Amino acid sequence: MSHGTDGIDNTYGTFGNGGTGRTETEPHYNLKMFGEVVKTFRKRARLTQEQFAPLVGYSLETIASIEQGRRLPPPDFAERADGILDAFGVILAAAKHLTRRKGLASWFRQWALLELGALSLYTYECRLIPGLLQTPAYARTLFTDQLPPLGDEQIEAQLAARLERQELLRNRPNTAFTFILEEHLFLRQLGGEEVTKELIDHILDLSELRNVDIQIMPLVRHHHAGLGGPVQLLETPDHQWFGYLEGQAHGQFVSDPKAISVIQMRCASMRSQALSLDDSKSLMRRMRGAR
């Protein structure tokens, strides 16, 4: 969401506002993504638009406009649709992104919406612990250290948004989350020794979830496929793949198939280069000082 690297590789194909320097989401984009979420779950339920419309209580024209991203859904649409389509709360969660939300960067909202329905999500980080894995104390350290300084209200808003997003790990048990973290992220002890100990305990707890894999890239590694910087890779319910790269002032979405193929190769290589799941847990316990 923030605190990115110094720059972004502009050779990647993008969609949204990546690489343009703009910091605002295209107004119609979130509507289109919400429509895709509704359409995906409707098809999953084996319903046509004609069959779905009377069940949710709106006209066929309204359903078509919502799925095409041409109109905002009525206030009660998301709740009705989520229940009828047995969407696990995904449609309700996606509806939250149709309006501005304090604490969530405008250029990040596109990716956050995709996360809500992802089948799998791969994350490699070399700068800081990913937002999905942060403790409140670790996240607060990042926000209080930010320049230019944030006000108390801004810090609390950003912290609330980050903690809400973390619910994905437990609310999406059928989504496979894979994280590769550099060892030095723990050795830095950002926020102090106690914050780091709490962080390691938290990540160890999360690593026990069946849908969460966490691997550590050791400090000494003679071959490393992730030297291009941090990256995220996501698979949608209809098996499309998108990537996300983050800079200090904006994020870059990746959609070009050739660029996605490169990211997939790098992620696969890093998974083999990082420590195994068990060895990663053992290393974290040693770094924490556990016996």
Side-chain angles (χ1 to χ4, degrees):
M1 288 171 55
S2 59
H3 312 283
T5 55
D6 291 335
I8 286 178
D9 182 353
N10 289 321
T11 62
Y12 289 103
T14 65
F15 67 89
N17 69 327
T20 66
R22 303 206 314 261
T23 59
E24 190 58 63
T25 303
E26 295 291 343
H28 66 279
Y29 188 82
N30 283 349
L31 285 176
K32 287 184 177 294
M33 290 305 305
F34 179 80
E36 286 296 321
V37 170
V38 173
K39 182 168 65 174
T40 296
F41 279 100
R42 175 179 60 77
K43 290 184 174 181
R44 175 180 173 273
R46 302 182 185 276
L47 294 174
T48 65
Q49 288 184 341
E50 291 81 0
Q51 293 169 325
F52 178 53
L55 292 176
V56 79
Y58 289 98
S59 68
L60 175 61
E61 291 74 18
T62 296
I63 300 303
S65 294
I66 291 172
E67 290 191 357
Q68 292 167 15
R70 293 191 285 109
R71 62 160 292 174
L72 279 167
D76 59 349
F77 174 83
E79 184 174 359
R80 291 187 189 182
D82 199 277
I84 291 167
L85 300 177
D86 192 22
F88 315 108
V90 173
I91 294 176
L92 276 170
K96 297 178 182 178
H97 294 267
L98 297 178
T99 56
R100 292 179 182 270
R101 297 174 61 204
K102 288 185 178 181
L104 198 61
S106 59
W107 45 263
F108 184 76
R109 293 186 191 119
Q110 299 175 28
W111 183 260
L113 188 58
L114 284 172
E115 282 183 331
L116 294 174
L119 293 180
S120 58
L121 179 66
Y122 296 84
T123 301
Y124 163 68
E125 258 297 354
C126 57
R127 310 158 305 165
L128 46 80
I129 300 298
L132 286 175
L133 301 180
Q134 292 174 9
T135 60
Y138 184 94
R140 191 180 294 277
T141 297
L142 295 176
F143 297 142
T144 55
D145 287 349
Q146 190 164 312
L147 294 174
L150 299 176
D152 291 343
E153 183 178 346
Q154 291 173 301
I155 290 174
E156 294 307 316
Q158 291 200 19
L159 181 60
R162 182 152 299 179
L163 296 179
E164 179 184 346
R165 180 170 163 253
Q166 290 177 357
E167 295 174 5
L168 283 172
L169 296 178
R170 299 185 187 276
N171 292 346
R172 296 287 298 165
N174 299 120
T175 298
F177 294 91
T178 300
F179 298 91
I180 299 176
L181 313 175
E182 291 286 347
E183 181 181 354
H184 70 254
L185 299 181
F186 300 95
L187 299 177
R188 178 172 293 137
Q189 295 196 354
L190 189 69
E193 184 177 351
E194 292 305 314
V195 170
T196 301
K197 287 182 178 180
E198 180 189 35
L199 176 70
I200 293 175
D201 286 340
H202 176 65
I203 292 177
L204 284 170
D205 287 342
L206 291 176
S207 70
E208 298 300 322
L209 297 174
R210 288 192 298 273
N211 63 323
V212 178
D213 285 348
I214 298 173
Q215 293 179 259
I216 305 298
M217 186 70 76
L219 195 61
V220 177
R221 170 57 66 197
H222 295 168
H223 301 282
H224 196 321
L227 298 181
V231 65
Q232 295 189 61
L233 188 65
L234 177 150
E235 182 185 10
T236 69
D238 56 354
H239 306 296
Q240 288 183 293
W241 288 87
F242 295 108
Y244 177 70
L245 311 174
E246 186 175 276
Q248 288 198 3
H250 64 279
Q252 182 178 20
F253 289 80
V254 183
S255 60
D256 178 70
K258 292 182 179 179
I260 291 295
S261 178
V262 171
I263 294 175
Q264 288 174 323
M265 284 190 289
R266 291 176 181 174
C267 286
S269 183
M270 280 191 287
R271 291 203 70 178
S272 67
Q273 293 167 345
L275 299 178
S276 69
L277 299 177
D278 288 340
D279 288 345
S280 295
K281 292 179 184 179
S282 296
L283 176 58
M284 284 189 283
R285 293 189 185 104
R286 292 197 301 274
M287 285 191 290
R288 192 202 180 284
R291 297 185 184 279

